Amino acid sequence: MRTLLSNKFIMLGGAMILAMLLIALFAPLLTVYPYDGLDLANKNQAPSLEHMMGTDPYGRDVWCRVVYGSRVSLMVSFAAVGVAVVCGSVLGIVSGYLKGGFDLAAGRLIDIMMAFPSLLLSMIIGVALGPSTRNMCLSIGIPLIPIFYRVARGAALSVGERTFVIASESMGSGRFRTMFRHVLPNVLPQIFVVLSMGMGGSILAEASLGFLGLGIPQPTPSWGLIVNEGKPYMFTAPWTTGFSGAFIALTIWGFNLLGDGLRDHLDPRV
Amino acid sequence: MGSYVLKRFLSAVPTVIGVFVVVFFVIRMIPGDPAVSMLGSGATEAQIQVYRVKYGLDAPLPVQFGIAFRNFLTGDLGDSISLYKPVREAIMERLPGTVQLAGLGVVAGGILAVFLGVAAAVFRGKWPDLLLTSLSSLGMSLPTFYIGLWVLMIFARKLGVIPVLSNARGVSYWQSMFGPLLTMVVGETSLLTRTTRSSMLEIFNEDFIRTARAKGLPEKWVMFRHALGNAMIPIITVTGYNLATAFGGAIVLEAVFTRNGIGSLLIGAINARDYPLIQGAAVVIAMLMILVNIMTDIIYGFADPRIRVSGE
């Protein structure tokens, strides 16, 4: 634990994410305006004492939108990564442990998914399912399955050959028990590294889809939506897109730093 | 080498077929009737029926799939509902713009990144290294659309050297290319700089580098000939990855800079609910990615004979 905290990437990334989580958690305490209060007389106002990040094209406080947007964006990203980590790891562990036909079939499926740019796959799944917050989690999560699959499969392949797994098998424990009592815990560290990177990827995907107008539908304030709403006014009122984009970038950076730190921690050679 | 290349291509066939199957069925899940959305709410039942028959939307799904798949094998991707022309024609018009952008971006970013990466490795732990490593870590975290919007803000709005809309009349080729290219280079260089740096640092510990130095070879020669040459495999991997992701990135880039390309074609198709065009564009983008991955593998074979031998 001490070595974990002495890694400056882990500390910096962790602190940034913690700050973002606290902002999301204490959103009502940090804002004075409602996030959906239209005030068309005050639209596109530059940052001032009343509105520290200015107002958006509908006269709403940008800081307030960004703070409440962090709730939606972080929640969607956690759910999306949750979908990916469960599907990807289970599929990967079973593939790596059982090998043979299952591995071959799952590998083919993953190959097909990896043939798509993840944004493209998110887009077509999102369009097919229709716009909603739940569908957004699925459309962002499904393209992330391959990265967890590959890590879990690779780790399970090597763990499966270790003595304690063979010992467990020889004592008569079933495949299911061996996989989830003995293989899974030893695969987890590698999954954590990818988890952090996956969170960054999810935030990016949500924002990019929002930017393209294919994100979480109105009126829920997500980061992607805020960027999209400010986009037509980028030159005259750059604060809406500017500040919300900066929050997106900082959050992704935090998750990337944490992921880098965890990887260095697990594999100090690099 | 020939059999290695052939094997690599053959192994991609099931993936291409799988891609087609996935796209076909995912697209068919779209809620709403494409005939109704194309004709508008004022259309009569008879008009809608005629439309369905004309575009084969009345047949059962397996039959529709059979027809579409047979046509796909002959290179026919159907007719676009919203553009009134064959999907293949629409894609062929837009594809060169995207491929040129992706190719140029990867080459420009690649050259820059290798130089920066080597510099970071040579100055390990000193200020150029720290500066480059932290900048690249930040650069990797900036969303493409965000970099693009700032490029527009600076070069189009403040300096006025590039147009806000790349597809406007009277815009020269390089003017329209500059913004998206710069955006791509910022994003891609970050990852490749890191890769080059860590790959170089690993090679520095090898015995043959010590031997080369002990022989009294000039340091530049050791760096670029001995170290970089052997650090190439991860660099090729990431360059291939960058090129593959550039086709996905084009979707966002073309939206930011209002550029004509396959990405903006796809967005337009989604907004118009143009099933055949969405399907065609998605399949073609995925096939480009598969092609790039095959090419990367083949280049590995050239760069490192050990991979070629084990692949055969």
Side-chain angles (χ1 to χ4, degrees):
Chain A
M1 195 63 195
R2 181 167 296 159
T3 52
L4 203 66
L5 290 181
S6 68
N7 183 310
K8 61 179 189 291
F9 289 128
I10 296 181
M11 285 303 286
L12 187 61
M16 285 163 75
I17 294 160
L18 190 65
M20 216 51 89
L21 289 176
L22 289 176
I23 287 177
L25 194 62
F26 295 110
L29 298 178
L30 296 168
T31 53
V32 285
Y33 299 95
Y35 62 78
D36 52 357
L38 293 187
D39 181 7
L40 292 175
N42 278 320
K43 62 180 183 181
N44 287 331
Q45 296 289 311
S48 62
L49 284 175
E50 288 86 50
H51 300 281
M52 59 188 260
M53 290 187 180
T55 62
D56 76 355
Y58 299 94
R60 297 169 299 200
D61 185 54
V62 173
W63 162 249
C64 183
R65 301 274 295 165
V66 168
V67 166
Y68 276 95
S70 69
R71 289 186 159 190
V72 180
S73 294
L74 287 172
M75 210 114 82
V76 166
S77 300
F78 276 119
V81 171
V83 169
V85 81
V86 171
C87 300
S89 314
V90 169
L91 218 58
I93 290 174
V94 176
S95 273
Y97 179 72
L98 291 185
K99 304 184 193 105
F102 183 89
D103 186 24
L104 216 62
R108 271 290 163 217
L109 189 68
I110 297 292
D111 274 352
I112 293 169
M113 290 173 74
M114 295 203 5
F116 294 95
S118 55
L119 186 66
L120 172 66
L121 197 55
S122 290
M123 275 165 67
I124 59 172
I125 295 172
V127 168
L129 295 177
S132 80
T133 308
R134 190 203 58 184
N135 291 343
M136 196 67 190
C137 302
L138 287 175
S139 64
I140 295 175
I142 292 172
L144 292 175
I145 292 176
I147 59 172
F148 291 101
Y149 170 86
R150 301 222 306 184
V151 170
R153 179 178 173 274
L157 270 178
S158 69
V159 172
E161 305 294 323
R162 303 256 296 272
T163 333
F164 64 90
V165 172
I166 298 167
S168 150
E169 283 166 346
S170 64
M171 283 193 293
S173 52
R175 285 167 164 180
F176 193 78
R177 190 186 158 84
T178 311
M179 275 190 277
F180 291 95
R181 282 300 295 276
H182 300 287
V183 178
L184 177 66
N186 289 288
V187 170
L188 278 181
Q190 276 101 317
I191 291 179
F192 268 109
V193 175
V194 191
L195 196 71
S196 193
M197 304 282 190
M199 274 303 293
S202 278
I203 302 260
L204 176 65
E206 191 275 319
S208 303
L209 289 170
F211 174 81
L212 294 171
L214 302 168
I216 300 168
Q218 302 260 19
T220 325
S222 70
W223 282 342
L225 182 67
I226 304 170
V227 167
N228 189 31
E229 285 171 344
K231 185 173 65 169
Y233 306 93
M234 181 65 194
F235 291 154
T236 49
W239 41 88
T240 307
T241 296
F243 283 120
S244 53
F247 265 73
I248 296 166
L250 281 176
T251 311
I252 298 172
W253 198 18
F255 281 114
N256 284 348
L257 285 173
L258 185 67
D260 282 344
L262 287 173
R263 195 186 42 212
D264 291 351
H265 180 72
L266 288 174
D267 186 10
R269 280 180 302 125
V270 190
Chain B
M1 194 68 201
S3 73
Y4 173 70
V5 173
L6 186 69
K7 208 173 134 183
R8 199 57 199 81
F9 269 100
L10 284 179
S11 73
V13 172
T15 316
V16 173
I17 295 174
V19 161
F20 185 79
V21 173
V22 167
V23 172
F24 182 88
F25 285 102
V26 169
I27 299 297
R28 292 309 182 281
M29 283 165 64
I30 296 179
D33 186 330
V36 176
S37 69
M38 282 316 299
L39 294 174
S41 51
T44 64
E45 192 55 41
Q47 283 174 313
I48 290 171
Q49 202 49 44
V50 168
Y51 191 85
R52 284 207 185 109
V53 174
K54 188 177 169 199
Y55 288 100
L57 299 169
D58 57 333
L61 205 52
V63 177
Q64 285 189 37
F65 176 76
I67 297 169
F69 187 66
R70 200 186 55 208
N71 290 340
F72 170 64
L73 292 181
T74 61
D76 177 3
L77 295 166
D79 292 318
S80 160
I81 299 175
S82 59
L83 298 178
Y84 309 105
K85 58 177 145 187
V87 169
R88 192 169 70 173
E89 197 184 307
I91 290 175
M92 282 310 175
E93 278 170 17
R94 298 292 198 97
L95 198 56
T98 302
V99 171
Q100 284 165 17
L101 176 61
L104 273 172
V106 167
V107 170
I111 294 170
L112 182 64
V114 168
F115 270 101
L116 293 179
V118 170
V122 171
F123 291 102
R124 181 184 195 178
K126 301 202 185 81
W127 70 266
D129 180 30
L130 297 178
L131 183 72
L132 284 170
T133 346
S134 29
L135 277 183
S136 66
S137 157
L138 178 63
M140 273 171 63
S141 311
L142 291 172
T144 308
F145 66 81
Y146 199 54
I147 304 173
L149 286 174
W150 285 113
V151 167
L152 270 184
M153 187 77 176
I154 295 166
F155 291 92
R157 171 86 177 166
K158 299 270 184 237
L159 304 177
V161 288
I162 59 165
V164 176
L165 305 174
S166 298
N167 60 1
R169 278 183 196 284
V171 173
S172 77
Y173 181 78
W174 288 107
Q175 265 186 329
S176 74
M177 200 58 121
F178 178 79
L181 210 55
L182 182 65
T183 310
M184 248 185 93
V185 167
V186 171
E188 285 188 343
T189 308
S190 304
L191 178 62
L192 194 54
T193 303
R194 284 164 58 120
T195 312
T196 308
R197 175 184 176 272
S198 58
S199 179
M200 287 289 284
L201 287 178
E202 218 160 279
I203 300 290
F204 283 173
N205 295 328
E206 299 281 341
D207 289 342
F208 64 83
I209 295 293
R210 198 189 47 200
T211 309
R213 282 186 179 140
K215 282 194 298 189
L217 290 177
E219 189 62 18
K220 263 186 203 143
W221 185 256
V222 177
M223 276 306 128
F224 285 98
R225 176 80 202 169
H226 292 244
L228 188 59
N230 284 289
M232 238 25 221
I233 289 286
I235 296 175
I236 295 170
T237 311
V238 175
T239 306
Y241 171 83
N242 275 344
L243 185 57
T245 52
F247 295 117
I251 301 172
V252 176
L253 272 181
E254 287 164 9
V256 176
F257 292 95
T258 339
R259 233 180 104 78
N260 288 338
I262 198 162
S264 52
L265 185 72
L266 180 72
I267 300 273
I270 288 177
N271 290 333
R273 285 194 185 291
D274 188 339
Y275 280 8
L277 191 54
I278 303 175
Q279 182 179 304
V283 169
V284 168
I285 294 175
M287 282 172 67
L288 279 174
M289 254 184 94
I290 296 172
L291 185 68
V292 169
N293 289 334
I294 295 175
M295 276 161 36
T296 312
D297 279 358
I298 292 172
I299 294 171
Y300 280 161
F302 278 111
D304 191 343
R306 284 168 297 186
I307 295 174
R308 187 167 66 222
V309 172
S310 70
E312 279 166 4

